[in-house]
C-alpha cells in the first residue's frame, strides 16, 4: 500500500479487498445519506442490523481503511477511513509518491469540508479508472467510492440511470433507481452546489469547499482541475 504523508503513525490497512462486498458500498454511502440507513437498506436489499454491523467493522479504530483511485501520471486519490475513537471521519486526498504532503479534496465528518468533485469530474475519474477497452465505460468501484464528495446543482438528465447502473454493478439488489434518485436529490452534507469553470480550472462556490479561491492557491486549484479534467472542459 502507498505511504500517505501525515498518516505515518496511523494503523492504515489496504481496503481494496472489500470492494466486492455489497455491504461495504451500502455502508460507505452512509456518508451520502447523513447516516440515514433506510434508503440504502432498500436499495441494497440488506437489513439495518447487517448494515450497522458492517459499519462497526469498517470503523475499527485499530484499522483505518485506505482505498485509492489511480489518476494520470502516477497521481492517486486516496480515501482514508480516519477511525479515531468516538470521532471517525473520511479524508479524500490527492497525492503523488514524490510529494511530501497531500492535497485535501474533501473531508466528511461533523465539521465537513467540501464538496470535492462535480458530476463531470466524477465521470472522468471513473472513466480513467476503468480498464481500457473498445467502448467507453465507467469503473463502478471508483464511481461509488468518490460519490460521497460529489455535489452538482446541474446534473444531466441521465444521472439517475448512470448511478443506478453503478449501484447494480456493485451488488445493489433492490430498487436502485429509487436509491439513485434519493442520493442525487440530497447529495450528502452539502446538498447540490454550483461550480464555475474558469481559465484556471473549476472552482466551487460553497463556503466549506477546499476548492475555492482563498482556501487554495491558484496553482493548486489548476493542478487539481487538470487531474480531474473531463473531456468537456475547455
Amino acid at each position: 500500500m502507498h505511504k500517505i504523508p501525515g498518516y505515518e503513525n496511523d494503523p492504515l490497512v489496504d481496503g481494496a479487498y472489500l470492494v466486492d462486498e455489497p455491504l461495504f458500498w451500502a455502508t460507505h454511502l452512509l456518508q451520502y445519506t447523513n447516516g440515514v440507513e433506510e434508503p440504502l437498506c432498500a436499495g441494497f436489499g440488506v437489513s439495518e442490523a447487517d448494515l450497522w454491523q458492517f459499519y462497526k467493522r469498517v470503523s475499527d479504530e485499530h484499522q483505518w481503511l485506505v482505498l485509492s483511485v489511480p489518476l494520470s501520471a502516477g497521481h492517486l486519490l486516496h480515501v482514508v477511513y480516519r477511525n479515531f475513537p468516538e470521532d471517525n471521519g473520511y479524508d479524500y486526498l490527492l497525492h503523488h509518491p514524490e510529494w511530501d504532503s497531500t492535497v485535501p479534496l474533501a473531508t466528511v465528518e461533523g465539521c465537513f469540508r467540501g464538496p470535492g468533485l462535480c458530476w463531470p469530474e466524477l465521470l472522468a475519474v471513473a472513466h480513467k479508472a476503468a480498464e481500457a477497452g473498445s467502448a467507453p465505460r465507467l469503473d463502478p468501484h471508483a464511481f461509488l467510492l468518490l460519490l460521497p464528495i460529489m455535489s452538482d446543482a446541474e446534473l444531466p438528465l441521465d444521472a439517475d440511470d448512470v448511478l443506478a447502473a453503478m449501484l447494480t454493478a456493485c451488488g445493489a439488489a433492490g430498487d436502485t433507481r429509487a436509491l439513485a434518485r434519493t442520493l442525487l436529490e440530497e447529495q450528502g452534507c452539502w446538498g447540490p452546489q454550483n461550480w464555475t469553470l474558469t481559465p484556471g480550472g473549476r472552482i466551487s462556490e460553497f463556503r466549506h469547499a477546499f476548492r475555492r479561491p482563498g482556501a487554495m492557491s491558484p496553482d493548486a486549484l489548476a493542478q487539481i482541475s487538470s487531474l480531474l479534467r473531463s473531456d468537456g472542459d475547455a
Side-chain angles (χ1 to χ4, degrees):
M1 186 176 66
H2 297 278
K3 294 181 178 180
I4 305 177
Y7 298 81
E8 293 88 350
N9 298 319
D10 297 315
L12 303 184
V13 296
D14 189 346
Y17 71 98
L18 292 170
V19 300
D20 292 323
E21 297 194 38
L23 265 172
F24 170 72
W25 296 111
T27 304
H28 183 72
L29 292 176
L30 282 166
Q31 300 172 62
Y32 214 42
T33 64
N34 292 308
V36 178
E37 69 272 12
E38 289 88 347
L40 294 167
C41 290
F44 279 86
V46 299
S47 69
E48 292 183 13
D50 286 344
L51 180 68
W52 288 112
Q53 184 63 34
F54 200 92
Y55 174 82
K56 183 178 179 181
R57 172 183 169 186
V58 298
S59 301
D60 183 352
E61 65 187 82
H62 302 294
Q63 296 189 62
W64 294 16
L65 297 179
V66 178
L67 296 99
S68 304
V69 177
L71 302 175
S72 59
H75 294 84
L76 297 160
L77 206 169
H78 296 301
V79 182
V80 179
Y81 276 55
R82 180 170 31 80
N83 294 332
F84 287 119
E86 307 298 328
D87 185 26
N88 64 311
Y90 309 85
D91 296 335
Y92 292 76
L93 312 157
L94 284 174
H95 187 236
H96 189 279
E98 296 180 358
W99 293 358
D100 294 329
S101 61
T102 61
V103 176
L105 268 189
T107 297
V108 181
E109 59 180 357
C111 299
F112 59 86
R113 294 291 303 275
L117 301 166
C118 62
W119 180 263
E121 291 171 335
L122 178 61
L123 292 177
V125 172
H127 274 302
K128 293 174 185 176
E131 294 180 359
S134 57
R137 57 187 295 268
L138 298 171
D139 183 311
H141 296 156
F143 192 99
L144 290 192
L145 187 65
L146 302 181
L147 180 66
I149 64 168
M150 191 287 300
S151 170
D152 202 322
E154 297 183 5
L155 295 174
L157 294 177
D158 67 344
D160 286 1
D161 293 332
V162 171
L163 177 51
M166 297 296 100
L167 292 165
T168 299
C170 288
D175 189 344
T176 55
R177 183 63 187 271
L179 176 56
R181 189 181 313 112
T182 296
L183 293 173
L184 293 180
E185 284 177 353
E186 299 183 1
Q187 296 189 31
C189 23
W190 21 73
Q193 297 296 327
N194 294 305
W195 295 80
T196 301
L197 183 58
T198 73
R202 288 187 191 272
I203 58 173
S204 174
E205 300 175 10
F206 193 48
R207 66 185 184 280
H208 297 301
F210 285 111
R211 294 178 65 187
R212 73 180 198 279
M216 278 189 178
S217 69
D219 287 346
L221 288 169
Q223 183 177 39
I224 291 172
S225 290
S226 177
L227 290 171
L228 305 177
R229 190 179 186 86
S230 66
D231 292 339
D233 291 346

